Amino acid sequence: MRTFLTPRLLVAAAVAAVLWIATAGIRDALLQIPNGVAQLSSILPELVPTSLTAYQSGGFGVVATIVGGVVLFVVFVALAAMLRRHGAPVVASWFALVLAAALVGLGFDLGAGWSWIVSFGPRGLLSSGFGVATAAGALWGLAAGWIPALIARGAAAESAPARTPAWFLPAAAVALVGAVVAGAVADAGREAAIEAEVAAQQEIDAASSFGALPDPDAPGVPVPETADAVVPDDPQWCTEDRATVLKGEPDAATGHRGMPLRLFNFSEEPCVIEGYPDIAFGDQNGHLLDVTIEHGGSFMAQDPGPQRIEIPAGGEAVTVLGWDAASPHGALVTNTVWAAQTPGMVRGSWPLELDIVEGSTVAVTAWTVDVDPTSPG
């Protein structure tokens, strides 16, 4: 009886592993590109949870991705050899890859969610994004599985009658445990790196003031109360006597920053808004800070795009500012945030220190009703 480990099947498994690693690697590379390019990553499935491949994981994230490819190779070979005896070779191999990729994703989901389980018990999985990698693996297998399946289609003839050795299925199970361990180790590395980054930042903050000291003789111009734009002539528009912009709380993740702003309709009738808010920043000298404003999404939020929306009485619309963390030491920094519903309307302001420094780029999402763009889904 010939072995089921035939050249065709092994080549097919190797191709599947390379495709899997390439998909995960390209998605992670896109996520590291700022200013909206990161949104292209949404085209690719999240085979490895983003929390494991974020830069804080360091080499652990790369290792986790490679381990995932190796585990996929082993599990796919075991499942393909077993399933091909019960159906058409191409269909069986394709289904084997779908199942193998889903199982690898399940391993990463368990590994990435381990700290949540330890902290909150099984219900912690509800807050950890559990199941994303599992579903992404199955979707990837459906989309890409036909390639290895076609390569492996001649393996049945080479190996018939094929039988899976008794030792191989346990080996596949051990490989899946390896995915769980790799995920847990990468997650632990990420947590340790975040703690180290926070500690280092705290030391920097303690040793220096936030930004350069105010200079009353510094050159600059005050922040204009309005932008040079025309307000739409719309009787339903969310004007200052109907709605007001409210500041949200800043948030941070993996070297990126975000802050929501909300447009609250305090009137007794619905009002409408369309497009993007008007945003400006003032520095510690009371001058307009040189910041590039880009309309679109960021690492912290997806952009729904400009659309005319109606805010009900007592309702809110939300937009999210996103930017990359920067060192404020000795720099002109944000000391005041200015915002209006749309360009041309009167800006309100809030005293707020942010690490948006001179020369920064800030992405701004369009107004949207009742849905926070920073939330999953």
Side-chain angles (χ1 to χ4, degrees), residues 231-254:
V231 179
D233 185 15
D234 188 330
Q236 293 183 299
W237 203 251
C238 292
T239 53
E240 293 90 339
D241 59 343
R242 293 176 175 174
T244 186
V245 180
L246 303 176
K247 176 187 69 68
E249 291 301 320
D251 194 11
T254 63

Side-chain angles (χ1 to χ4, degrees), residues 280-349:
F281 303 92
D283 64 20
Q284 58 267 53
N285 301 315
H287 297 149
L288 179 65
L289 188 63
D290 182 16
V291 172
T292 300
I293 304 295
E294 290 187 349
H295 292 167
S298 65
F299 185 90
M300 299 296 291
Q302 296 183 0
D303 181 22
Q307 52 189 318
R308 183 182 174 87
I309 58 175
E310 180 180 276
I311 306 175
E316 293 181 340
V318 65
T319 182
V320 176
L321 314 184
W323 67 95
D324 293 334
S327 172
H329 182 62
L332 290 175
V333 299
T334 295
N335 190 258
T336 309
V337 177
W338 296 74
Q341 288 90 317
T342 55
M345 301 184 71
V346 177
R347 293 166 172 166
S349 65

Side-chain angles (χ1 to χ4, degrees), residues 49 51-52 106-117 125 128 179-180 182-184 187 190-191:
S51 61
L52 300 186
L106 177 61
F108 281 128
D109 281 331
L110 290 172
W114 184 251
S115 60
W116 291 84
I117 298 174
L125 293 177
S128 65
V180 177
D187 187 61
R190 178 183 64 86
E191 292 288 346

Side-chain angles (χ1 to χ4, degrees), residues 74-158:
V74 176
V75 177
F76 170 61
V77 171
L79 292 176
M82 180 173 60
L83 294 177
R84 288 165 63 87
R85 292 180 293 153
H86 304 287
V90 173
V91 175
S93 296
W94 196 341
F95 179 74
L97 187 56
V98 172
L99 183 57
L103 289 173
V104 174
L106 177 61
F108 281 128
D109 281 331
L110 290 172
W114 184 251
S115 60
W116 291 84
I117 298 174
V118 172
S119 300
F120 305 105
R123 70 178 185 277
L125 293 177
L126 299 176
S127 304
S128 65
F130 181 80
V132 172
T134 305
L139 177 62
W140 176 87
L142 285 172
W146 60 273
I147 300 175
L150 288 178
I151 295 175
R153 63 182 175 179
E158 295 177 7

Side-chain angles (χ1 to χ4, degrees), residues 30-48:
L30 289 173
L31 281 173
Q32 308 308 319
I33 303 176
N35 301 333
V37 179
Q39 299 303 316
L40 294 175
S41 64
S42 61
I43 300 174
L44 301 175
E46 190 177 338
L47 298 177
V48 182

